Amino acid sequence: MKKYLGIVVCFIMLITTVFTGCGNSTATSNQSNEEKGKTLVYGAEFEDEKINSVLTASHAFATDLVFRGLMKFDENNVPKPEIAKSYTISKDKLTYDFILKKGIKFQDGTEIKADDVVFTIKTILNDKVNSELKPEFEDVKDIQKVNDYEVKITLSKVFPAFLDKMTVGLVPKHCLEGKDVNTADFNVKPIGAGPFKVEKWNKGSNLILTKSKYYYGKTGNIDKIIFKFLPDANVRAMQLQTGEVNIAPVAPSEVAKLEKNSKVTICKAPTADYRGIMFNFRTKPMFKDVNVRKALNYATDKQGIVKGILLGYGEAAYSPLQLNKYNNPNVEKYEYNLDKANELLEQSGWKKGADGIREKDGQKLQFTLFARNNDEVRVKIAEYVSSQAKKAGFDIKVDARDPKAEKIKDTEAFVLGWGSPFDADDHTYKIFRSDQFEKGSGFNFGDYSNPQVDDLLEKARTTSDDNQRKEYYDEFQKVVAEDPAFSMDAYLTALYGIDKNISGYTPKRVLGHHGEGFLWNVEEWNMK
């Protein structure tokens, strides 16, 4: 197992000497742009409720196209200066001084200045603002405007992931000052500094973005992007074949059929995106028995999920940092072992009844497993886990329905998805720390609590010594394997169907949750 996946090589399908399929990194924005005004139609799995970089923690889809930050992740997921011209870090690693580029404008023509940076960070930290990013900025002690093009940020603790966090898109102070950011019209008619601006949002149907005339970077010949909301994977695949959409994420079951289409190529990119079962400790007390959680891990044939559900497009999961440079392969991987699962349940006093379902103190080993019905893979994983676990005496009832009809925190168990290709602090601190449930700003939906995990994640995020950080994250992975918050199942390969007339995208980036990051340089793409 590779510790860290820095470069992902896609299968390249050559169709002419002019353009190629997946991985056409040679066709850049420097090529001739004789044909302007091209429209790219993206078949989207989801429709965001709001487009506002200070409210959502996701580096995804329209938000990343509309907004830009002081920093921006490159193709290797390393943060590099974007709106910032340069930055310096003090010797004690507590003060960051950013110098802004002059002449960079928001999409309304207003120049970006230090006031906008200060306003953006203070808005995230404002207790009246429902920002998912609060955990990422909680160590900001002070932020000051030095002059119109310089900002000084002081941290209360060393935080090596801070440059990652400064990729957050800047919002214009003059548009949001004095307004309720949670409900502002800005959330559906946003103004950022990205390459595309919102032209029209037809809720439930599509979102139309057009190229911003104020964008400062290189661009290709795509002047319009239409996000067409298609939650059904079968519909996305069909519309790829008919040419109604130019690019879309596809389910593993659709790949073979799409590969026969002469107009579509499939890009297969590994991701840091894993699937598993979340245990809700608050609604189902039985999960406090660690042997119950371990037993479900052992009772699930993860290789069976990879082969039978993902059709080989993925790998068995054992750690939330499996594709991170801090991955620790020396942890319990919970390879399929039904005997071990039964042994653990017997040890904890769960006895099989006449119906084969285990009981303890009059309580059945039973729970409901929720899976969003617009995600083929999640539903199949839920059904598979239910079937497998029955052999160990579990009674798992699958509840597959519209995710809008369910609140994750109220479920008994949930087929979840997490994973980040960025600094290890991302998708660990806000997911596994106990206080992230209490604060309500993180993503610890199951109310998982382990003091040792809390301590290790705090230490790992507040030391600049890389070797020390690795020791903390190694230990974190050992502890969370022995006291699992989830039953880890599989890492996914991101599968994108792409019109062969599109060029300029790169296969070099490890993608995030739901294949996030594939459109990271879409402004430079071209369409023939």
Side-chain angles (χ1 to χ4, degrees):
M1 187 66 61
K2 294 184 178 179
K3 282 189 172 183
Y4 178 69
L5 194 51
I7 297 178
V8 178
V9 179
C10 287
F11 293 102
I12 301 176
M13 190 177 292
L14 185 64
I15 55 173
T16 74
T17 59
V18 180
F19 59 90
T20 65
C22 182
N24 183 11
S25 56
T26 59
T28 70
S29 59
N30 293 323
Q31 71 184 145
S32 173
N33 288 334
E34 295 178 356
E35 295 182 87
K36 293 288 185 181
K38 292 292 185 177
T39 296
L40 182 148
V41 182
Y42 182 97
E45 290 181 86
F46 312 105
E47 178 178 12
D48 295 326
E49 292 183 7
K50 301 174 182 178
I51 302 175
N52 188 335
S53 58
V54 300
L55 295 180
T56 175
S58 176
H59 281 275
F61 313 118
T63 301
D64 269 1
L65 303 186
V66 173
F67 295 95
R68 284 289 187 267
L70 290 182
M71 308 294 288
K72 183 178 185 289
F73 290 112
D74 67 9
E75 64 184 20
N76 296 313
N77 295 313
V78 176
K80 297 292 179 65
E82 179 70 6
I83 292 176
K85 179 181 179 181
S86 62
Y87 65 89
T88 56
I89 307 174
S90 63
K91 289 183 179 180
D92 63 6
K93 311 295 186 189
L94 293 175
T95 302
Y96 290 70
D97 195 277
F98 293 93
I99 306 298
L100 279 64
K101 296 174 182 175
K102 295 181 179 180
I104 304 296
K105 297 180 179 180
F106 286 113
Q107 291 153 357
D108 63 356
T110 304
E111 186 178 15
I112 298 175
K113 294 188 177 180
D115 284 331
D116 299 301
V117 180
V118 174
F119 179 79
T120 297
I121 305 304
K122 286 189 174 181
T123 298
I124 292 170
L125 293 171
N126 188 338
D127 288 336
K128 294 181 180 179
V129 176
N130 301 324
S131 174
E132 296 176 352
L133 287 82
K134 278 189 178 70
E136 301 176 5
F137 289 89
E138 62 184 30
D139 290 328
V140 172
K141 180 179 179 181
D142 186 49
I143 177 168
Q144 295 291 334
K145 165 188 172 181
V146 177
N147 56 54
D148 280 348
Y149 301 100
E150 184 176 357
V151 175
K152 191 179 296 292
I153 302 175
T154 304
L155 306 180
S156 59
K157 302 173 184 176
V158 172
F159 186 28
F162 188 63
L163 288 178
D164 277 37
K165 310 312 178 185
M166 291 309 291
T167 59
V168 63
L170 300 178
V171 295
K173 178 180 179 180
H174 66 276
C175 290
L176 284 170
E177 188 174 29
K179 297 182 180 179
D180 182 348
V181 179
N182 303 308
T183 60
D185 288 343
F186 183 91
N187 298 330
V188 293
K189 298 177 182 178
I191 294 174
F196 292 91
K197 65 177 182 178
V198 172
E199 184 71 23
K200 189 176 183 181
W201 192 347
N202 300 301
K203 287 281 189 175
S205 179
N206 58 61
L207 172 67
I208 302 172
L209 306 183
T210 55
K211 187 179 290 185
S212 170
K213 66 179 180 180
Y214 296 107
Y215 182 62
Y216 49 87
K218 297 187 298 183
T219 60
N221 67 1
I222 296 173
D223 283 355
K224 181 184 291 185
I225 297 178
I226 299 175
F227 286 92
K228 194 172 182 181
F229 306 126
L230 303 172
D232 190 309
N234 294 322
V235 174
R236 292 197 301 275
M238 179 182 68
Q239 294 200 10
L240 274 167
Q241 294 184 82
T242 61
E244 294 173 78
V245 300
N246 306 112
I247 178 172
V250 298
S253 60
E254 300 289 347
V255 171
K257 180 169 55 179
L258 287 169
E259 285 185 323
K260 296 177 182 178
N261 190 306
S262 62
K263 297 180 180 180
V264 178
T265 191
I266 300 293
C267 185
K268 306 164 186 176
T271 74
D273 187 18
Y274 60 83
R275 295 289 177 271
I277 308 303
M278 180 199 81
F279 303 109
N280 194 330
F281 297 86
R282 189 170 58 88
T283 63
K284 207 67 177 176
M286 71 167 62
F287 293 140
K288 293 180 181 179
D289 182 346
V290 69
N291 281 350
V292 169
R293 288 175 273 141
K294 287 183 175 182
L296 185 63
N297 270 283
Y298 281 122
T300 304
D301 184 355
K302 301 175 186 183
Q303 292 295 344
I305 289 176
V306 173
K307 294 177 182 178
I309 297 175
L310 302 183
L311 304 182
Y313 299 121
E315 61 182 86
Y318 59 82
S319 165
L321 292 177
Q322 200 161 318
L323 272 76
N324 192 277
K325 69 176 182 177
Y326 295 126
N327 175 49
N328 182 1
N330 301 313
V331 300
E332 177 57 60
K333 293 183 172 65
Y334 290 100
E335 294 176 350
Y336 182 59
N337 190 330
L338 188 58
D339 290 339
K340 185 69 173 177
N342 279 307
E343 178 186 333
L344 287 167
L345 292 171
E346 287 289 336
Q347 286 178 5
S348 282
W350 292 94
K351 303 298 182 181
K352 281 191 176 181
D355 58 358
I357 305 304
R358 292 183 180 273
E359 296 183 27
K360 180 181 179 181
D361 300 329
Q363 180 186 21
K364 292 273 192 180
L365 189 60
Q366 180 183 80
F367 63 89
T368 299
L369 177 58
F370 174 75
R372 53 179 65 189
N373 64 2
N374 61 350
D375 188 322
E376 174 185 304
V377 168
R378 293 197 199 207
V379 173
K380 287 183 176 180
I381 287 176
E383 293 171 343
Y384 185 80
V385 168
S386 174
S387 175
Q388 289 253 295
K390 190 173 184 178
K391 300 173 186 176
F394 284 87
D395 181 18
I396 302 175
K397 300 183 183 303
V398 175
D399 178 14
R401 49 189 164 120
D402 190 326
K404 293 180 181 179
E406 191 73 31
K407 293 182 179 179
I408 298 176
K409 287 185 177 181
D410 295 334
T411 60
E412 295 181 347
F414 184 87
V415 181
L416 60 77
W418 286 125
S420 166
F422 307 124
D423 186 275
D425 180 76
D426 196 26
H427 283 213
T428 54
Y429 186 87
K430 61 190 175 187
I431 292 171
F432 295 95
R433 283 265 305 195
S434 59
D435 61 356
Q436 296 305 303
F437 179 88
E438 297 159 9
K439 291 179 180 179
S441 56
F443 295 97
N444 183 2
F445 298 129
D447 197 14
Y448 175 75
S449 179
N450 183 307
Q452 195 175 359
V453 166
D454 289 351
D455 181 58
L456 288 166
L457 289 178
E458 178 66 25
K459 288 178 177 176
R461 78 168 353 206
T462 56
T463 179
S464 58
D465 184 281
D466 202 53
N467 291 326
Q468 189 66 64
R469 289 192 89 200
K470 177 166 177 50
E471 288 182 18
Y472 290 140
Y473 280 123
D474 277 356
E475 188 63 23
F476 155 72
Q477 290 168 84
K478 287 181 181 178
V479 175
V480 85
E482 288 302 313
D483 182 34
F486 312 143
S487 174
M488 298 285 290
D489 290 328
Y491 274 85
L492 311 185
T493 296
L495 302 169
Y496 280 94
I498 308 170
D499 186 325
K500 290 180 180 178
N501 286 318
I502 297 174
S503 62
Y505 52 90
T506 172
K508 296 181 180 180
R509 204 178 201 219
V510 179
L511 304 180
H513 187 35
H514 289 293
E516 292 173 6
F518 192 76
L519 301 180
W520 75 280
N521 68 334
V522 68
E523 67 271 13
E524 298 182 31
W525 295 8
N526 284 283
M527 294 181 68
K528 187 173 177 64

